[in-house]
Amino acid sequence: MTEQPRDPPTDEEPKLPGLEAELDPKPEWQPRFAGSDRLRDKVAVVTGGDSGIGRAVAVLFAREGASVAIAYLNEDEDAERTKTEVEKEGGSAMLFRGDLGSAEQCKDLIDKTNERFGRIDILVNNAGEQHPDDDLDDITETQLRRTFQTNVFSMFFLTQAALAHLSRGAAIINTTSVTMYKGSAGLLDYSATKGAITAFTRSLSQNLADRGIRVNAVAPGPIWTPLNPCGGKPADEIPDFGKSTPMGRPGQPNEVAPCFLFLASDDSSYMSGQVLHPNGGVIVAS
Ligand code: NAD
Ligand code: MG
């Protein structure tokens, strides 16, 4: 099969993906409670695991006994830090740098994870990109294709590659967004990818039910990670980030990661096709 060319990065938000190492104040990703072996001997792939929500998930999974493959685009410093923190929890960590908008890279990530750890139990599809545009005409074809490739195509490619390794009891968790439920006037393409992710989650859960593989999603509200302050939102909106939620503040990654842990572990053994909403109290349809 010939590899389709990957669209180049959009030059509108040159600081994306942002570096957590340079973010001030720093996001809170540290697990808040002692582990209880919920993921003992499991192997998880966490895309976008270098920073933000993905870092909090990788470290929490390690605290619960998992080994973690941390996939990221190009933020080496953040990824190394996450690896160190996973290892401090007693977990094994593997780094994978690559553009997951490409089917080849996705297959390579899954192959390398399996080579290193010998199994895969949990796939967290969390990598994403976001470009603000108030005017529909400002969404270039390059940006549109790229946002869908990163946010949606990667989930198909990774799931296709991972399925051969997943057995009964495995879990897939996808990151969608509150923007999918509420709409977002300035994030037309991004929120549309998140709609696709929720629909994919529901359909895949039905498709894989008889194989004993559960598929769920998490729809965060405004969370303090590099994504928004580094270009995912206009700079003048950052001081008020999260203030319009009922709780009146942004969430921290360690307030979101426990949703992923719940969906990854047997605590949620009777749940599939569902979405959890760590979003500061915004009521959404489902
Ligand atoms: P983040 O910038 O820390 O994480 C996103 C990660 O995606 C980056 O670390 C980057 O390495 C990775 N990535 C981007 N493009 C990639 C590509 N082409 N190939 C491989 N990796 C790529 O920000 P975050 O907020 O933690 O984002 C994680 C997920 O949460 C995203 O899917 C995002 O859409 C979603 N989300 C975030 C918020 C929020 O307010 N922060 C709200 C709702 C949903
Ligand atoms: Mg990052």
Side-chain angles (χ1 to χ4, degrees):
M1 193 180 70
T2 324
E3 171 77 338
Q4 295 298 309
R6 174 69 158 107
D7 281 293
T10 161
D11 56 11
E12 286 184 48
E13 277 74 47
K15 281 165 74 187
L16 282 177
L19 259 190
E20 182 151 332
E22 289 174 1
L23 205 56
D24 183 28
K26 293 276 178 275
E28 294 169 22
W29 47 263
Q30 297 82 352
R32 295 183 290 177
F33 300 99
S36 54
D37 268 355
R38 265 166 234 234
L39 303 180
R40 188 176 14 186
D41 299 332
K42 304 270 190 200
V43 173
V45 175
V46 180
T47 71
D50 58 302
S51 59
I53 294 166
R55 171 184 287 177
V57 169
V59 180
L60 181 62
F61 280 15
R63 176 162 292 194
E64 294 289 339
S67 300
V68 190
I70 298 155
Y72 65 105
L73 184 62
N74 56 18
E75 310 99 299
D76 296 319
E77 183 181 353
D78 283 352
E80 288 291 349
R81 175 73 194 274
T82 306
K83 180 170 183 280
T84 302
E85 297 298 334
V86 164
E87 288 167 351
K88 275 193 206 161
E89 295 292 341
S92 299
M94 178 195 115
L95 294 183
F96 181 93
R97 175 182 165 137
D99 187 337
L100 299 176
S102 131
E104 228 168 56
Q105 296 283 303
C106 289
K107 188 166 181 322
D108 201 27
L109 165 59
I110 297 300
D111 286 348
K112 292 215 161 82
T113 305
N114 191 51
E115 275 163 31
R116 167 75 195 270
F117 297 119
R119 57 186 291 153
I120 301 174
D121 304 281
I122 303 158
L123 172 62
V124 176
N125 287 312
N126 169 72
E129 65 180 79
Q130 167 183 317
H131 305 280
D133 285 295
D134 284 334
D135 190 334
L136 182 61
D137 287 339
D138 289 342
I139 299 174
T140 61
E141 185 179 347
T142 299
Q143 176 179 314
L144 183 61
R145 292 169 63 93
R146 192 167 166 99
T147 304
F148 270 82
Q149 286 171 344
T150 298
N151 297 9
V152 181
F153 288 17
S154 65
M155 296 202 181
F156 282 80
F157 298 146
L158 285 166
T159 307
Q160 285 171 333
L163 267 181
H165 305 285
L166 300 179
S167 44
R168 295 194 85 76
I172 299 172
I173 307 148
N174 301 326
T175 306
T176 177
S177 166
V178 70
T179 59
M180 181 244 132
Y181 293 86
K182 283 178 52 187
S184 181
L187 291 173
L188 290 155
D189 50 346
Y190 172 85
S191 62
T193 66
K194 296 300 183 179
I197 290 165
T198 299
F200 176 57
T201 301
R202 291 175 173 167
S203 299
L204 189 67
S205 74
Q206 295 173 4
N207 186 274
L208 296 180
D210 61 1
R211 290 176 62 170
I213 300 170
R214 298 181 302 104
V215 187
N216 291 287
V218 178
I223 309 301
W224 188 245
T225 74
L227 185 69
N228 287 288
C230 296
K233 249 193 186 316
D236 61 348
E237 292 178 23
I238 293 303
D240 286 334
F241 186 59
K243 288 201 176 145
S244 68
T245 64
M247 292 190 192
R249 64 170 179 88
Q252 295 293 335
N254 64 4
E255 297 180 290
V256 176
C259 294
F260 288 83
L261 172 61
F262 173 67
L263 295 172
S265 77
D266 279 348
D267 274 349
S268 60
S269 52
Y270 197 46
M271 284 179 68
S272 198
Q274 309 302 317
V275 183
L276 298 182
H277 296 276
N279 66 16
V282 177
I283 310 288
V284 294
S286 72

